[in-house]
Amino acid sequence: MRNRQRRVADFHCDVLSKLQASPDIDFRKDSRLDVTLDRMLAGGVELQVFAIYLSTRREKASFERILGQIESFRNQVAGSGGLQWLCWKEEAAEQINTPTGRGMLSLEGVDGLEGNLFYAQLCFELGVRFMGVTWNYANWAADGVLEQRNGGFTEQGRKLIDWCNESGMLLDVSHLAPAGFWELSERSVRPFIASHSNAAAVCGHPRNLSDQQIQALIAMDGRIGVTFVPWFVRDGGEAKAEDVLRHIEHICSLGGSGQIMFGSDFDGIDCWVEGLEHPGKYAEFAELLLARYPEDAVKGWLHGNALSFLAKNLPSKTIQPQL
């Protein structure tokens, strides 16, 4: 019974950028990674979303670099003996009843699409299923959350929204400026997610969500990936696993228990919440949750809410994107 309660879906990690930078990394057990296959198994993580993140500090974002990280996922994560690739709603529905180790692809910031919607279509055809529009700053599609002007979407960015709605590509608002969040909520006909963001009322970091944003996500039946970035968990940045519970409780107080999931941001951080240093710690975290909250709610937060969203909102195998 306890093992079933510890089934976990995690909606954000940055393993792929490390694999691209160091192709010799062994995904199964390499100590240079937070997320490894061995640690996923130890923590009960049955579904991990892998972000394609292109650091513009190193070099210009390009579609070629996106393709490189997709190839890293294909060869090193979903290769022989690795995770099964989850792309379709039928597979998500199967996962609910028949859990197995699976991985998904997301794009963290559309900079590397270079404003070209044909590249977006290619990403879909290559298995990407979530797109985070920005990474903190402005790009060709929209402003990020750290842009002081707080702009919304560009004209080409609005075309991207429309294409995502038509194709079944799902959108992620973590890192998106508030103006863009509200524009997307008006324009999108599909619910969206915040894959790795917490509650601003608990910790005032600009990457966290306001109560109004949380309520909007609840109203559309989107999802909120409570994250383990220490400075998003607690003002000052030093945090323990118990501090994460304050964000869960706040979102629940707004009526969002059914929208909570987790998006750790492992491998995207260089310091960690005490007790949540890697996915192997999810087993202990599950016990912490079960000691304080109803079993059904905990199972929803750990995996049920995420999987039900995918089973409802991912495209079917019969749907193909149209430009």
Side-chain angles (χ1 to χ4, degrees), residues 31-173:
S31 62
R32 288 171 286 181
L33 297 177
D34 299 335
V35 177
T36 64
L37 184 58
D38 286 353
R39 284 173 171 172
M40 287 179 62
L41 292 171
V45 180
E46 65 181 61
L47 175 64
Q48 179 67 63
V49 178
F50 293 82
I52 299 166
Y53 168 63
L54 309 180
S55 174
T56 54
R57 297 174 187 173
R58 296 175 187 164
E59 56 184 303
K60 182 179 182 294
S62 68
F63 189 61
E64 181 180 4
R65 291 177 64 205
I66 291 176
L67 292 177
Q69 290 193 27
I70 294 174
E71 192 67 11
S72 294
F73 178 80
R74 183 188 303 276
N75 292 335
Q76 295 166 262
V77 177
S80 177
L83 302 177
Q84 294 185 33
W85 200 330
L86 196 157
C87 296
W88 308 105
K89 68 191 315 175
E90 293 88 351
E91 294 166 344
E94 179 182 307
Q95 183 74 13
I96 292 173
N97 298 313
T98 311
T100 189
R102 295 183 187 261
M104 295 186 70
L105 282 176
S106 67
L107 185 59
E108 187 173 22
V110 299
D111 308 56
L113 298 181
E114 303 174 39
N116 189 332
L117 296 187
F118 178 65
Y119 287 165
Q121 181 175 344
L122 287 176
C123 280
F124 183 95
E125 293 174 354
L126 291 170
V128 177
R129 288 297 179 267
F130 288 91
M131 282 190 177
V133 183
T134 64
W135 186 84
N136 285 344
Y137 302 104
N139 61 23
W140 60 266
D143 273 10
V145 71
L146 297 186
E147 285 290 342
Q148 292 186 0
R149 65 183 175 183
N150 184 30
F153 282 78
T154 65
E155 187 58 35
Q156 190 69 355
R158 296 182 190 103
K159 291 179 181 178
L160 176 68
I161 297 172
D162 296 342
W163 176 83
C164 288
N165 283 327
E166 292 167 5
S167 68
M169 182 75 77
L170 297 167
L171 286 164
D172 179 357
V173 297

Side-chain angles (χ1 to χ4, degrees), residues 16-36:
L16 298 183
S17 57
K18 289 186 175 180
L19 293 182
Q20 188 175 47
S22 302
D24 63 317
I25 288 177
D26 180 359
F27 173 65
R28 176 173 288 277
K29 59 184 179 181
D30 202 298
S31 62
R32 288 171 286 181
L33 297 177
D34 299 335
V35 177
T36 64

